[in-house]
mmCIF file with all atom_site columns, all heavy atoms in Angstrom:
data_model
loop_
_atom_site.group_PDB
_atom_site.id
_atom_site.type_symbol
_atom_site.label_atom_id
_atom_site.label_alt_id
_atom_site.label_comp_id
_atom_site.label_asym_id
_atom_site.label_entity_id
_atom_site.label_seq_id
_atom_site.pdbx_PDB_ins_code
_atom_site.Cartn_x
_atom_site.Cartn_y
_atom_site.Cartn_z
_atom_site.occupancy
_atom_site.B_iso_or_equiv
_atom_site.pdbx_formal_charge
_atom_site.auth_seq_id
_atom_site.auth_comp_id
_atom_site.auth_asym_id
_atom_site.auth_atom_id
_atom_site.pdbx_PDB_model_num
ATOM 1   N N   . GLN A 1 29  ? -0.281  26.660  -17.959 1.00 87.00 ? 422 GLN A N   1
ATOM 2   C CA  . GLN A 1 29  ? 0.908   25.964  -17.465 1.00 87.00 ? 422 GLN A CA  1
ATOM 3   C C   . GLN A 1 29  ? 0.518   24.754  -16.615 1.00 87.00 ? 422 GLN A C   1
ATOM 4   O O   . GLN A 1 29  ? 1.141   23.698  -16.695 1.00 87.00 ? 422 GLN A O   1
ATOM 5   C CB  . GLN A 1 29  ? 1.777   26.913  -16.642 1.00 87.00 ? 422 GLN A CB  1
ATOM 6   C CG  . GLN A 1 29  ? 2.474   27.976  -17.467 1.00 87.00 ? 422 GLN A CG  1
ATOM 7   C CD  . GLN A 1 29  ? 3.107   29.033  -16.579 1.00 87.00 ? 422 GLN A CD  1
ATOM 8   O OE1 . GLN A 1 29  ? 2.514   29.478  -15.605 1.00 87.00 ? 422 GLN A OE1 1
ATOM 9   N NE2 . GLN A 1 29  ? 4.324   29.426  -16.921 1.00 87.00 ? 422 GLN A NE2 1
ATOM 10  N N   . GLU A 1 48  ? -5.687  18.540  -8.609  1.00 93.00 ? 441 GLU A N   1
ATOM 11  C CA  . GLU A 1 48  ? -6.348  19.822  -8.335  1.00 93.00 ? 441 GLU A CA  1
ATOM 12  C C   . GLU A 1 48  ? -5.446  20.732  -7.517  1.00 93.00 ? 441 GLU A C   1
ATOM 13  O O   . GLU A 1 48  ? -4.660  20.268  -6.696  1.00 93.00 ? 441 GLU A O   1
ATOM 14  C CB  . GLU A 1 48  ? -7.658  19.596  -7.568  1.00 93.00 ? 441 GLU A CB  1
ATOM 15  C CG  . GLU A 1 48  ? -8.632  18.674  -8.282  1.00 93.00 ? 441 GLU A CG  1
ATOM 16  C CD  . GLU A 1 48  ? -9.872  18.345  -7.479  1.00 93.00 ? 441 GLU A CD  1
ATOM 17  O OE1 . GLU A 1 48  ? -9.968  18.753  -6.294  1.00 93.00 ? 441 GLU A OE1 1
ATOM 18  O OE2 . GLU A 1 48  ? -10.763 17.680  -8.036  1.00 93.00 ? 441 GLU A OE2 1
ATOM 19  N N   . GLU A 1 65  ? -15.892 18.916  -13.730 1.00 89.00 ? 458 GLU A N   1
ATOM 20  C CA  . GLU A 1 65  ? -16.392 20.299  -13.666 1.00 89.00 ? 458 GLU A CA  1
ATOM 21  C C   . GLU A 1 65  ? -16.979 20.648  -12.296 1.00 89.00 ? 458 GLU A C   1
ATOM 22  O O   . GLU A 1 65  ? -16.865 21.792  -11.847 1.00 89.00 ? 458 GLU A O   1
ATOM 23  C CB  . GLU A 1 65  ? -17.468 20.527  -14.748 1.00 89.00 ? 458 GLU A CB  1
ATOM 24  C CG  . GLU A 1 65  ? -16.953 20.429  -16.177 1.00 89.00 ? 458 GLU A CG  1
ATOM 25  C CD  . GLU A 1 65  ? -16.925 19.013  -16.739 1.00 89.00 ? 458 GLU A CD  1
ATOM 26  O OE1 . GLU A 1 65  ? -17.228 18.056  -16.000 1.00 89.00 ? 458 GLU A OE1 1
ATOM 27  O OE2 . GLU A 1 65  ? -16.579 18.867  -17.934 1.00 89.00 ? 458 GLU A OE2 1
ATOM 28  N N   . GLU A 1 66  ? -17.595 19.668  -11.628 1.00 89.00 ? 459 GLU A N   1
ATOM 29  C CA  . GLU A 1 66  ? -18.246 19.930  -10.335 1.00 89.00 ? 459 GLU A CA  1
ATOM 30  C C   . GLU A 1 66  ? -17.251 20.288  -9.231  1.00 89.00 ? 459 GLU A C   1
ATOM 31  O O   . GLU A 1 66  ? -17.631 20.837  -8.206  1.00 89.00 ? 459 GLU A O   1
ATOM 32  C CB  . GLU A 1 66  ? -19.072 18.715  -9.901  1.00 89.00 ? 459 GLU A CB  1
ATOM 33  C CG  . GLU A 1 66  ? -20.269 18.431  -10.788 1.00 89.00 ? 459 GLU A CG  1
ATOM 34  C CD  . GLU A 1 66  ? -21.296 19.540  -10.778 1.00 89.00 ? 459 GLU A CD  1
ATOM 35  O OE1 . GLU A 1 66  ? -21.571 20.097  -9.705  1.00 89.00 ? 459 GLU A OE1 1
ATOM 36  O OE2 . GLU A 1 66  ? -21.799 19.882  -11.872 1.00 89.00 ? 459 GLU A OE2 1
ATOM 37  N N   . ALA A 1 94  ? -8.279  11.379  2.678   1.00 85.00 ? 487 ALA A N   1
ATOM 38  C CA  . ALA A 1 94  ? -9.687  11.462  3.079   1.00 85.00 ? 487 ALA A CA  1
ATOM 39  C C   . ALA A 1 94  ? -10.507 10.493  2.247   1.00 85.00 ? 487 ALA A C   1
ATOM 40  O O   . ALA A 1 94  ? -10.305 10.375  1.053   1.00 85.00 ? 487 ALA A O   1
ATOM 41  C CB  . ALA A 1 94  ? -10.200 12.884  2.875   1.00 85.00 ? 487 ALA A CB  1
ATOM 42  N N   . GLY A 1 103 ? -19.052 9.111   -8.375  1.00 80.00 ? 496 GLY A N   1
ATOM 43  C CA  . GLY A 1 103 ? -18.249 7.922   -8.121  1.00 80.00 ? 496 GLY A CA  1
ATOM 44  C C   . GLY A 1 103 ? -17.603 7.934   -6.746  1.00 80.00 ? 496 GLY A C   1
ATOM 45  O O   . GLY A 1 103 ? -17.561 8.958   -6.065  1.00 80.00 ? 496 GLY A O   1
ATOM 46  N N   . TYR A 1 113 ? 2.904   25.318  1.938   1.00 94.00 ? 506 TYR A N   1
ATOM 47  C CA  . TYR A 1 113 ? 3.290   26.505  2.705   1.00 94.00 ? 506 TYR A CA  1
ATOM 48  C C   . TYR A 1 113 ? 4.336   27.276  1.915   1.00 94.00 ? 506 TYR A C   1
ATOM 49  O O   . TYR A 1 113 ? 5.220   26.673  1.306   1.00 94.00 ? 506 TYR A O   1
ATOM 50  C CB  . TYR A 1 113 ? 3.847   26.106  4.073   1.00 94.00 ? 506 TYR A CB  1
ATOM 51  C CG  . TYR A 1 113 ? 2.764   25.730  5.049   1.00 94.00 ? 506 TYR A CG  1
ATOM 52  C CD1 . TYR A 1 113 ? 2.145   24.486  4.975   1.00 94.00 ? 506 TYR A CD1 1
ATOM 53  C CD2 . TYR A 1 113 ? 2.328   26.626  6.016   1.00 94.00 ? 506 TYR A CD2 1
ATOM 54  C CE1 . TYR A 1 113 ? 1.123   24.150  5.844   1.00 94.00 ? 506 TYR A CE1 1
ATOM 55  C CE2 . TYR A 1 113 ? 1.308   26.290  6.895   1.00 94.00 ? 506 TYR A CE2 1
ATOM 56  C CZ  . TYR A 1 113 ? 0.714   25.054  6.797   1.00 94.00 ? 506 TYR A CZ  1
ATOM 57  O OH  . TYR A 1 113 ? -0.303  24.724  7.656   1.00 94.00 ? 506 TYR A OH  1
ATOM 58  N N   . LEU A 1 129 ? -4.902  15.177  -4.975  1.00 91.00 ? 522 LEU A N   1
ATOM 59  C CA  . LEU A 1 129 ? -5.003  14.093  -5.940  1.00 91.00 ? 522 LEU A CA  1
ATOM 60  C C   . LEU A 1 129 ? -6.323  13.390  -5.671  1.00 91.00 ? 522 LEU A C   1
ATOM 61  O O   . LEU A 1 129 ? -6.624  13.031  -4.529  1.00 91.00 ? 522 LEU A O   1
ATOM 62  C CB  . LEU A 1 129 ? -3.849  13.105  -5.781  1.00 91.00 ? 522 LEU A CB  1
ATOM 63  C CG  . LEU A 1 129 ? -2.437  13.661  -5.983  1.00 91.00 ? 522 LEU A CG  1
ATOM 64  C CD1 . LEU A 1 129 ? -1.417  12.539  -5.829  1.00 91.00 ? 522 LEU A CD1 1
ATOM 65  C CD2 . LEU A 1 129 ? -2.287  14.333  -7.335  1.00 91.00 ? 522 LEU A CD2 1
ATOM 66  N N   . ASP A 1 134 ? -11.777 2.166   -5.954  1.00 83.00 ? 527 ASP A N   1
ATOM 67  C CA  . ASP A 1 134 ? -11.897 0.767   -6.375  1.00 83.00 ? 527 ASP A CA  1
ATOM 68  C C   . ASP A 1 134 ? -10.687 0.337   -7.205  1.00 83.00 ? 527 ASP A C   1
ATOM 69  O O   . ASP A 1 134 ? -10.153 -0.760  -7.032  1.00 83.00 ? 527 ASP A O   1
ATOM 70  C CB  . ASP A 1 134 ? -13.185 0.541   -7.169  1.00 83.00 ? 527 ASP A CB  1
ATOM 71  C CG  . ASP A 1 134 ? -14.426 0.666   -6.291  1.00 83.00 ? 527 ASP A CG  1
ATOM 72  O OD1 . ASP A 1 134 ? -14.300 0.496   -5.062  1.00 83.00 ? 527 ASP A OD1 1
ATOM 73  O OD2 . ASP A 1 134 ? -15.504 0.946   -6.843  1.00 83.00 ? 527 ASP A OD2 1
ATOM 74  N N   . LEU A 1 142 ? -5.277  -7.478  -3.690  1.00 86.00 ? 535 LEU A N   1
ATOM 75  C CA  . LEU A 1 142 ? -5.694  -8.141  -2.462  1.00 86.00 ? 535 LEU A CA  1
ATOM 76  C C   . LEU A 1 142 ? -6.461  -9.427  -2.743  1.00 86.00 ? 535 LEU A C   1
ATOM 77  O O   . LEU A 1 142 ? -6.555  -10.295 -1.869  1.00 86.00 ? 535 LEU A O   1
ATOM 78  C CB  . LEU A 1 142 ? -6.559  -7.184  -1.622  1.00 86.00 ? 535 LEU A CB  1
ATOM 79  C CG  . LEU A 1 142 ? -5.829  -5.965  -1.058  1.00 86.00 ? 535 LEU A CG  1
ATOM 80  C CD1 . LEU A 1 142 ? -6.821  -4.994  -0.440  1.00 86.00 ? 535 LEU A CD1 1
ATOM 81  C CD2 . LEU A 1 142 ? -4.778  -6.378  -0.045  1.00 86.00 ? 535 LEU A CD2 1
ATOM 82  N N   . GLY A 1 162 ? -15.735 9.469   14.040  1.00 85.00 ? 555 GLY A N   1
ATOM 83  C CA  . GLY A 1 162 ? -15.292 8.315   14.814  1.00 85.00 ? 555 GLY A CA  1
ATOM 84  C C   . GLY A 1 162 ? -15.877 7.006   14.324  1.00 85.00 ? 555 GLY A C   1
ATOM 85  O O   . GLY A 1 162 ? -15.611 5.940   14.879  1.00 85.00 ? 555 GLY A O   1
ATOM 86  N N   . ASN A 1 172 ? -15.738 -12.876 0.853   1.00 79.00 ? 565 ASN A N   1
ATOM 87  C CA  . ASN A 1 172 ? -16.310 -13.788 1.851   1.00 79.00 ? 565 ASN A CA  1
ATOM 88  C C   . ASN A 1 172 ? -15.600 -13.534 3.179   1.00 79.00 ? 565 ASN A C   1
ATOM 89  O O   . ASN A 1 172 ? -14.633 -14.209 3.521   1.00 79.00 ? 565 ASN A O   1
ATOM 90  C CB  . ASN A 1 172 ? -16.134 -15.249 1.415   1.00 79.00 ? 565 ASN A CB  1
ATOM 91  C CG  . ASN A 1 172 ? -16.865 -15.538 0.116   1.00 79.00 ? 565 ASN A CG  1
ATOM 92  O OD1 . ASN A 1 172 ? -18.029 -15.201 -0.022  1.00 79.00 ? 565 ASN A OD1 1
ATOM 93  N ND2 . ASN A 1 172 ? -16.160 -16.110 -0.842  1.00 79.00 ? 565 ASN A ND2 1
ATOM 94  N N   . LEU A 1 179 ? -5.279  -12.002 12.935  1.00 90.00 ? 572 LEU A N   1
ATOM 95  C CA  . LEU A 1 179 ? -4.120  -11.188 13.281  1.00 90.00 ? 572 LEU A CA  1
ATOM 96  C C   . LEU A 1 179 ? -4.437  -9.761  12.868  1.00 90.00 ? 572 LEU A C   1
ATOM 97  O O   . LEU A 1 179 ? -4.951  -9.529  11.771  1.00 90.00 ? 572 LEU A O   1
ATOM 98  C CB  . LEU A 1 179 ? -2.886  -11.689 12.518  1.00 90.00 ? 572 LEU A CB  1
ATOM 99  C CG  . LEU A 1 179 ? -1.628  -10.818 12.593  1.00 90.00 ? 572 LEU A CG  1
ATOM 100 C CD1 . LEU A 1 179 ? -1.041  -10.866 13.993  1.00 90.00 ? 572 LEU A CD1 1
ATOM 101 C CD2 . LEU A 1 179 ? -0.614  -11.274 11.567  1.00 90.00 ? 572 LEU A CD2 1
ATOM 102 N N   . ALA A 1 195 ? -6.991  -13.426 8.542   1.00 90.00 ? 588 ALA A N   1
ATOM 103 C CA  . ALA A 1 195 ? -7.087  -14.762 9.143   1.00 90.00 ? 588 ALA A CA  1
ATOM 104 C C   . ALA A 1 195 ? -7.201  -15.804 8.038   1.00 90.00 ? 588 ALA A C   1
ATOM 105 O O   . ALA A 1 195 ? -7.743  -15.529 6.973   1.00 90.00 ? 588 ALA A O   1
ATOM 106 C CB  . ALA A 1 195 ? -8.319  -14.840 10.032  1.00 90.00 ? 588 ALA A CB  1
#
Side-chain angles (χ1 to χ4, degrees):
Q422 289 169 317
E441 303 175 355
E458 295 86 355
E459 293 297 319
Y506 283 78
L522 299 182
D527 291 337
L535 293 171
N565 298 311
L572 171 70

